[in-house]
Amino acid sequence: MRSFLPIVAFVYLLSGPVAALAQGASPALVPPGAIPPAPMAVPEPALAAPEPAADSGGPVVGAIEVEGSRRVEVDAIKAAMKTKVGASVDAKSIQADVRAVMKLGYFADVSIEEKGSPDRPTLVVKVVEKPSVQDYKIEGNDELSADDLKDTIEVKRFAILDLTTVRKTVKKIQEKYNEKGFYLAEVNFRIEDRPDNQVIVVFEVNERAKVEVRRIHFVGNDNISKEEIVPFMQTQEGSFLGFLSSAGTYKEEAFQRDLQAVQAVYLERGYVGVKVGKPTVALSPDRTGLFISIPIEEGEQYTIGKLDFSGELLGMRPFLPQLLQSSEGQLFVRSKVGHDIFAVADFFKDMGYAYVNVNPVTALDPKKRTMGLTFDVQPGQKVFFERIEITGNQKTRDKVVRRELRIYEGDLYSAAAIKISKQRITALGYFETVEITTKKGSAEDRIVAIVEVKEKATGTFQIGAGFSSYENFILTAQISQNNFFGWGQTLSLQVQWSSLRQLGQIQFMEPYFLDSKWTFAFDVYANENLYLNFTRGAIGGSLTWGYELAGLSWFWPSLSKLEDLRLFFTYTLEKVRVTSSVQDLLLYNRFRSGWSSVARTSVAWDRRDNRLFPTRGFYLSASLDLAPPMLAPAAIFGDQVNLFYRETIEFRFYQEIWQGLTGRFRLLAGVIRGWNENNPVPVSELYYVGGVNTVRGYRLYTLSPVAAVGASTNPDASLRALQVGGNKQIVLNFELEYPIVEKMGIRAVVFFDMGNALAPGVYIDPNVPWGLYKSIGFGFRWFSPIGPLRFEWGFPLNRRTDPITGAILDAPVDFQFTIGSFF
C-alpha cells in the first residue's frame, strides 16, 4: 500500500478519529491502507482518497475494481464515478465518487481503497448492497382485510428495501384505520432477515376498539335546532344500522367540511354574521366513543335591501331582474344569491362574453338588519370558438362525440350550449366521466374547447343461470355492444330459456344513419311464452326508421328545441302459433294461430341523463299499432291473420333525491281492439299483468279478467275459472333505489306497484279497491359481470280467491329473480 505524507496523516488525525473523540464519539477503525473518511457528512464509512501529488508526475489511477455488487451492474457503478482510469489520484474526487455511488440508492455502505503500485494504484470500490424485499405481510388486521388495505401498500416485492417507503406505508395504513373509525389503532413495522440478503417487511397492527361518534352537540344554536343542522353533515352519530353506512365514523377531513356546512345552514336562514367556533372532540372513558361539541354565535337575521346592477350592462338592465331568485324584503338566502350570480354570468356568457365577471357588492345596515346587493358586471370582450378538441376517446370515434355537441367552431361562446353538450354526451352511456373545459386560443377573442371523456366498458359477454320462484331455472346468454366498434351503434345477440319462456333475438340500431338525423334499426327473433291456459310462440322480425324532429327546424324553427324528440315508423311481421287445452266452445276460436303484419307509428321523447343507468330525467313514448287487412292480403298470408289496432303510452321519471338515493316512477297503459266484429282480438294479443316486470308480488300473467268455462265439452262438466285476458291494461310502479356497496354495484330497492288488466267494456274492477291490484316489497340489485341481477320479494296487498272454489290464489310473499333491468 502507498504511504502518505506526514502532513496528510496529521490532517487526517485532526479531522477523523481525533475530532470524533473530541466530540465524545467512538473512532471508527480504518483498516491498514484504507482511504480515510472525509471530514463531511457522507455515508459511513466513507474513505478519503490521497491528496494528489504536488507535481504533474503524481500517481494516476491504473484500474478500478468493484467488490460486493451482486444485483447492480459494475458498469453502472463505474458510470456514476467521475474518477476514471488514467486520471490523477485526487482525494476530493474520490470523496465525490463515494457520494455519487451512494446516491444510486442500492447500497447500505460504500468505501474506496487503493492497492497495487504506488504510481498506478488500483481503486477498489467496496459496496454493501441494501437487502431486497422478499415479501411483505400484515399482522393483527382482524377488522380490515388484506383487500381493504392493498391500496395502502407502497412496498413492492423484489424491490430494494427503502425505509422511507416503509414508513409511508405505515402512515397510510394508519390513515385507513382512522377512516374506518379505529382512531386508537397503532401501526408499526419490523424487518425480518432472510437468506441471500433478503428481508420480509412485517406491518404490525394493534387495532384496539373501534371508536364511534356517540353524540354531536351544538352550543349557542338558539334559533336553529340540532335536527335541522345534522342532516347536512357527513359526520353522523352512530346507530344500530350504522354498519350499512358511514354513520358513526369520524373523518377529520369530512368534519372540517361539516363546519362549513353548519355555517351554510345559517346563511340559508339569513344569519350573515354567523360564526362557528373551534369544536372540542372528547374521548369517552372506555375509549370507544367520541363526543363532539360545536360552539356557534348565530348573530342576527338579515333581509335583502336594495337590489341593483352596475358595470357594463350593454343595455341589458331591463332583462336582468327577471333572472334573480332573490327579491327585496325577502330573507337573505345564500343559495339564492349564488344562483343569481351564476344566472347573470350565464346570461352574458350566452351572448359570447366567456370571461364575464360578476361581483356582488354588499351594503350592510345593522340597524335595519338589511343587506343591499349590487351585481357589478364586467363582461370583457366577445369570444368565438376557434377549435374543439376531443381527448380520452381511445375507441369511440370523434364523430360519435361531435354529433352530440351543441357548440361549433366559429360560433360565439355559449355557456348553455356547453352544458347541453355535456349532458348529451353523458346520456350516451359510453363514458364514465365527461368534462368540457376551455383554454385561450390564438387571439384574445378566440377560445378552444376541450372535450375530455373517460371511456367505460360498453360491451358484455354474458352466460348466466338463476332460479326464479315461478320460472324455476333460468339460463341466459348474451353478447351485446352498445358502442359497436366505436361507431355509436348497438348490436346484441340474446338467448334465454326457462320453464315459462324461451327467446332468441338479434338486434341492431344505428342512431344516426349515414351521419343524418335518421335512425335505423332491425331485430329478428323467435320466442315462446307459457301462459296459464295456452302457449304463444312466434317467429318474426321488425324494421324501424326514425327521425329526429329537430332536423325539420328549417321548416318550423320551434322544432330546434326538441332535439330529444324522435318519430319512428316500424313494420313487424311475425308468424304466431297458439296451442291450448281449453275445450270451451265460446272461447275456442280465440286461441288461434296466424300471421301478424303490423305497422307502428310512435313518438319518443328521451330526456334521461344516462340511457343505460339513468338517475334523473324522463322518457315518454306513445305508439299506435295497426294490423289492417291491407297489410295482410290473403294471396300472401291466407285466411289465418290477426287483425287489430293497439294504442300504448309509457312514461318513466327519474330523480336523484339525496346522496345516491334515486326515485323512479313508471306509468304503462294500453288498449287493443279487434279490427271488426268478424276479427276479434286473439287471446294471445290481450293483456296479462303480474310478475317481476309489471306488478311484483303476483305471479306472472295472472292478473286478468276471469271467465267461468266448462272443464270439457260435456254439458254436465264442472266449471273452472279461466284467465281470458283484457283489452286494457294499466301499470304503475314506484321505486326507491340506494347504493349499499357502490364499488360492487349492489343496490337496495323498495317498491310499491299497482296494476290490472280489464275486460272489454269494463273500466273499473269492483273486486279490488281503486280497481288496481297493489303490492309492496323490497329487493337487491347487483350489476354483475353477467348483467343486472334482480332479487325481489313482493307482498300482495289484495290477495285473490278463486270465484268458484274460494281457494286463496296469491301467496303472502312471492320471491322473484330475473336477469335484466326494470325501467
Side-chain angles (χ1 to χ4, degrees):
M1 291 291 181
R2 172 180 171 83
S3 59
F4 293 92
L5 296 175
I7 189 169
V8 175
F10 178 73
V11 172
Y12 162 63
L13 290 174
L14 289 178
S15 60
V18 174
L21 287 173
Q23 298 174 8
S26 300
L29 298 179
V30 181
I35 300 175
M40 58 179 62
V42 295
E44 185 185 357
L47 302 180
E51 294 289 340
D55 58 340
S56 58
V60 296
V61 178
I64 299 175
E65 296 178 358
V66 178
E67 295 181 359
S69 178
R70 301 175 59 187
R71 299 185 183 91
V72 184
E73 294 291 338
V74 171
D75 290 341
I77 297 174
K78 291 181 178 180
M81 300 172 58
K82 290 185 178 180
T83 302
K84 308 297 181 184
V85 175
S88 298
V89 177
D90 179 68
K92 291 184 178 180
S93 296
I94 293 176
Q95 292 169 10
D97 290 338
V98 171
R99 291 192 295 270
V101 175
M102 283 293 293
K103 285 182 180 179
L104 293 176
Y106 301 119
F107 308 111
D109 192 16
V110 177
S111 63
I112 299 179
E113 298 179 357
E114 284 186 63
K115 71 177 183 179
S117 169
D119 296 326
R120 294 184 61 82
T122 297
L123 295 184
V124 181
V125 182
K126 294 185 176 181
V127 296
V128 177
E129 290 185 331
K130 290 181 179 179
S132 64
V133 178
Q134 184 186 81
D135 200 0
Y136 65 83
K137 59 184 179 180
I138 306 173
E139 295 180 350
N141 56 314
D142 297 327
E143 296 293 337
L144 300 186
S145 67
D147 287 340
D148 295 329
L149 299 172
K150 65 181 180 180
D151 293 337
T152 66
I153 306 297
E154 294 193 5
V155 176
K156 306 299 181 184
R157 293 182 176 90
F158 312 115
I160 298 297
L161 176 65
D162 184 352
L163 292 181
T164 300
T165 302
V166 173
R167 294 186 181 97
K168 285 182 179 179
T169 300
V170 168
K171 183 179 179 181
K172 293 185 73 173
I173 294 175
Q174 183 84 52
E175 291 173 350
K176 188 70 173 182
Y177 269 93
N178 291 345
E179 181 182 324
K180 297 297 182 179
F182 294 87
Y183 312 110
L184 304 179
E186 295 180 358
V187 184
N188 295 297
F189 73 91
R190 70 174 188 270
I191 307 298
E192 295 182 353
D193 293 329
R194 289 294 183 268
D196 200 22
N197 197 25
Q198 297 187 90
V199 298
I200 294 179
V201 181
V202 182
F203 297 100
E204 301 173 316
V205 180
N206 185 356
E207 293 179 331
R208 303 185 188 277
K210 186 174 183 178
V211 181
E212 181 182 68
V213 177
R214 298 275 180 83
R215 185 184 178 193
I216 300 175
H217 177 62
F218 296 95
V219 179
N221 58 320
D222 299 327
N223 296 295
I224 300 181
S225 66
K226 171 183 174 180
E227 289 71 23
E228 295 175 280
I229 302 175
V230 168
F232 296 94
M233 300 174 60
Q234 293 185 44
T235 305
Q236 298 286 315
E237 296 175 350
S239 64
F240 177 72
L241 297 177
F243 66 94
L244 294 176
S245 63
S246 60
T249 301
Y250 177 87
K251 301 177 184 177
E252 179 63 27
E253 184 177 337
F255 183 63
Q256 293 303 318
R257 291 195 295 268
D258 288 339
L259 297 180
Q260 299 177 10
V262 173
Q263 186 179 41
V265 170
Y266 274 88
L267 290 174
E268 285 294 292
R269 307 288 185 91
Y271 293 91
V272 298
V274 63
K275 295 179 181 179
V276 179
K278 184 177 180 180
T280 58
V281 180
L283 192 62
S284 64
D286 60 0
R287 302 177 67 82
T288 61
L290 288 179
F291 295 86
I292 301 174
S293 180
I294 303 175
I296 299 174
E297 293 183 22
E298 293 181 327
E300 300 291 343
Q301 272 187 316
Y302 278 72
T303 57
I304 295 177
K306 183 180 179 181
L307 287 174
D308 201 359
F309 301 90
S310 64
E312 299 180 41
L313 303 181
L314 306 175
M316 296 294 144
R317 179 187 287 272
F319 305 100
L320 298 181
Q322 305 172 27
L323 305 174
L324 305 182
Q325 289 185 353
S326 304
S327 60
E328 296 179 4
Q330 281 188 352
L331 201 64
F332 175 88
V333 179
R334 189 185 70 162
S335 60
K336 287 185 177 182
V337 174
H339 165 272
D340 296 342
I341 295 172
F342 284 108
V344 174
D346 288 344
F347 179 81
F348 284 92
K349 286 180 179 180
D350 290 341
M351 296 169 58
Y353 297 95
Y355 303 117
V356 62
N357 183 33
V358 179
N359 182 39
V361 180
T362 62
L364 285 175
D365 188 338
K367 293 183 179 179
K368 296 182 180 180
R369 296 180 188 172
T370 61
M371 174 182 284
L373 279 173
T374 300
F375 297 95
D376 184 68
V377 181
Q378 301 298 329
Q381 66 179 117
K382 284 190 175 182
V383 177
F384 297 82
F385 287 112
E386 178 181 16
R387 192 170 65 256
I388 299 174
E389 300 177 357
I390 314 294
T391 64
N393 53 322
Q394 301 298 320
K395 181 184 73 171
T396 307
R397 314 293 173 125
D398 273 16
K399 72 173 187 178
V400 174
V401 178
R402 288 184 182 275
R403 66 195 184 194
E404 303 298 333
L405 293 174
R406 294 303 176 262
I407 56 176
Y408 307 97
E409 294 169 350
D411 280 5
L412 272 174
Y413 177 91
S414 171
I418 289 178
K419 181 179 179 180
I420 294 172
S421 298
K422 180 179 178 179
Q423 291 173 346
R424 292 181 64 88
I425 297 172
T426 301
L428 291 173
Y430 304 158
F431 310 108
E432 289 184 14
T433 58
V434 178
E435 296 294 337
I436 301 181
T437 58
T438 58
K439 66 179 181 181
K440 186 178 178 181
S442 59
E444 292 294 331
D445 63 343
R446 293 292 183 267
I447 198 168
V448 176
I450 303 172
V451 182
E452 184 177 1
V453 298
K454 182 180 180 182
E455 293 180 324
K456 67 180 179 182
T458 55
T460 59
F461 173 71
Q462 305 171 3
I463 298 178
F467 184 84
S468 170
S469 60
Y470 52 87
E471 293 185 81
N472 296 325
F473 285 103
I474 301 175
L475 300 177
T476 180
Q478 178 176 330
I479 301 175
S480 68
Q481 176 56 260
N482 292 315
N483 187 14
F484 189 59
F485 288 126
W487 292 103
Q489 302 164 342
T490 298
L491 176 65
S492 69
L493 294 83
Q494 183 179 11
V495 176
Q496 287 187 3
W497 181 92
S498 75
S499 61
L500 295 186
R501 54 181 173 168
Q502 294 87 47
L503 169 67
Q505 187 174 37
I506 300 175
Q507 294 178 303
F508 174 80
M509 186 185 71
E510 165 59 85
Y512 293 92
F513 184 72
L514 298 179
D515 295 327
S516 68
K517 298 291 185 179
W518 285 95
T519 297
F520 169 72
F522 73 84
D523 73 307
V524 180
Y525 58 86
N527 61 44
E528 185 169 290
N529 291 293
L530 178 63
Y531 292 77
L532 290 178
N533 304 297
F534 65 93
T535 300
R536 183 188 191 276
I539 297 176
S542 66
L543 188 68
T544 298
W545 287 96
Y547 192 77
E548 186 178 286
L549 294 182
L552 299 175
S553 58
W554 59 270
F555 173 72
W556 191 0
S558 297
L559 291 177
S560 62
K561 300 178 181 179
L562 301 178
E563 292 182 309
D564 301 304
L565 192 65
R566 286 178 179 259
L567 185 65
F568 295 94
F569 304 93
T570 303
Y571 175 72
T572 302
L573 178 65
E574 64 178 0
K575 178 65 180 294
V576 179
R577 182 187 73 259
V578 177
T579 58
S580 175
S581 60
V582 175
Q583 302 295 320
D584 190 88
L585 295 177
L586 296 177
L587 296 174
Y588 186 76
N589 68 329
R590 303 278 299 277
F591 296 93
R592 66 177 185 270
S593 303
W595 288 92
S596 293
S597 180
V598 186
R600 169 180 291 182
T601 301
S602 61
V603 61
W605 193 7
D606 192 347
R607 295 298 305 273
R608 294 172 293 180
D609 64 339
N610 191 305
R611 294 168 193 168
L612 299 181
F613 305 103
T615 59
R616 61 174 59 88
F618 67 85
Y619 174 84
L620 175 64
S621 70
S623 64
L624 173 64
D625 292 359
L626 297 174
M630 63 178 295
L631 288 181
I636 299 176
F637 299 102
D639 297 330
Q640 296 295 317
V641 293
N642 298 319
L643 306 178
F644 57 86
Y645 63 94
R646 176 168 44 213
E647 302 156 3
T648 305
I649 186 169
E650 182 176 11
F651 176 68
R652 311 176 204 165
F653 179 76
Y654 310 83
Q655 180 62 52
E656 185 173 2
I657 300 172
W658 178 73
Q659 293 187 357
L661 179 65
T662 302
R664 299 178 177 182
F665 167 75
R666 181 179 77 152
L667 166 66
L668 176 64
V671 178
I672 187 170
R673 299 179 179 88
W675 192 258
N676 53 42
E677 293 181 357
N678 298 324
N679 291 275
V681 180
V683 73
S684 61
E685 299 293 337
L686 293 173
Y687 297 114
Y688 298 84
V689 178
V692 70
N693 290 321
T694 53
V695 182
R696 290 159 284 191
Y698 297 90
R699 293 178 64 83
L700 187 67
Y701 305 144
T702 61
L703 295 180
S704 159
V706 176
V709 300
S712 68
T713 56
N714 188 340
D716 298 327
S718 61
L719 297 178
R720 68 185 180 95
L722 178 71
Q723 278 81 11
V724 295
N727 79 325
K728 298 176 288 295
Q729 76 165 355
I730 182 168
V731 176
L732 296 97
N733 306 107
F734 304 85
E735 284 191 352
L736 288 175
E737 187 180 78
Y738 185 76
I740 54 176
V741 187
E742 184 68 32
K743 291 183 179 180
M744 296 180 61
I746 299 177
R747 294 172 171 262
V749 62
V750 294
F751 59 83
F752 173 57
D753 294 342
M754 296 190 296
N756 204 354
L758 302 173
V762 177
Y763 297 94
I764 189 69
D765 188 342
N767 299 315
V768 61
W770 306 351
L772 301 175
Y773 289 93
K774 296 168 283 295
S775 68
I776 59 173
F778 69 94
F780 299 95
R781 291 171 184 172
W782 177 28
F783 293 94
S784 71
I786 68 167
L789 304 181
R790 294 169 54 198
F791 308 85
E792 295 173 357
W793 289 261
F795 302 85
L797 300 180
N798 309 111
R799 298 175 65 188
R800 298 164 296 164
T801 57
D802 190 297
I804 298 174
T805 66
I808 297 177
L809 299 176
D810 300 309
V813 59
D814 186 28
F815 168 70
Q816 299 170 342
F817 162 82
T818 190
I819 300 175
S821 298
F822 189 13
F823 64 89

